[in-house]
Amino acid sequence: STVPGRDDRASPQYHTADPAGGYRFADWTGTGGFSSTANPLTVTNVTQDLTLTASFALDTCTVTFAA
């Protein structure tokens, strides 16, 4: 999603990635090589445009059948 920026670099911006059912949060990536596994994510001191993308992974489980 796009979040309007503010011209107050000292104010932290908080972002939370909420996965849909059956998925889990994996990581954040962004412009300029940004990456983080923090969730929620706190971004501070932004001095240029920053695009963040939240990635999600499918929850998996092992099922064992016995005869």
Side-chain angles (χ1 to χ4, degrees):
S1 65
T2 301
V3 178
R6 294 189 298 189
D7 195 19
D8 182 2
R9 295 181 187 147
S11 294
Q13 300 288 313
Y14 304 96
H15 305 279
T16 301
D18 294 316
Y23 289 84
R24 62 179 168 75
F25 170 76
D27 62 9
W28 294 98
T29 56
T31 53
F34 179 88
S35 68
S36 176
T37 56
N39 192 33
L41 176 67
T42 303
V43 180
T44 58
N45 202 28
V46 176
T47 59
Q48 60 187 10
D49 289 348
L50 174 64
T51 299
L52 296 174
T53 301
S55 297
F56 301 91
L58 185 62
D59 280 337
T60 59
C61 61
T62 301
V63 178
T64 304
F65 295 93

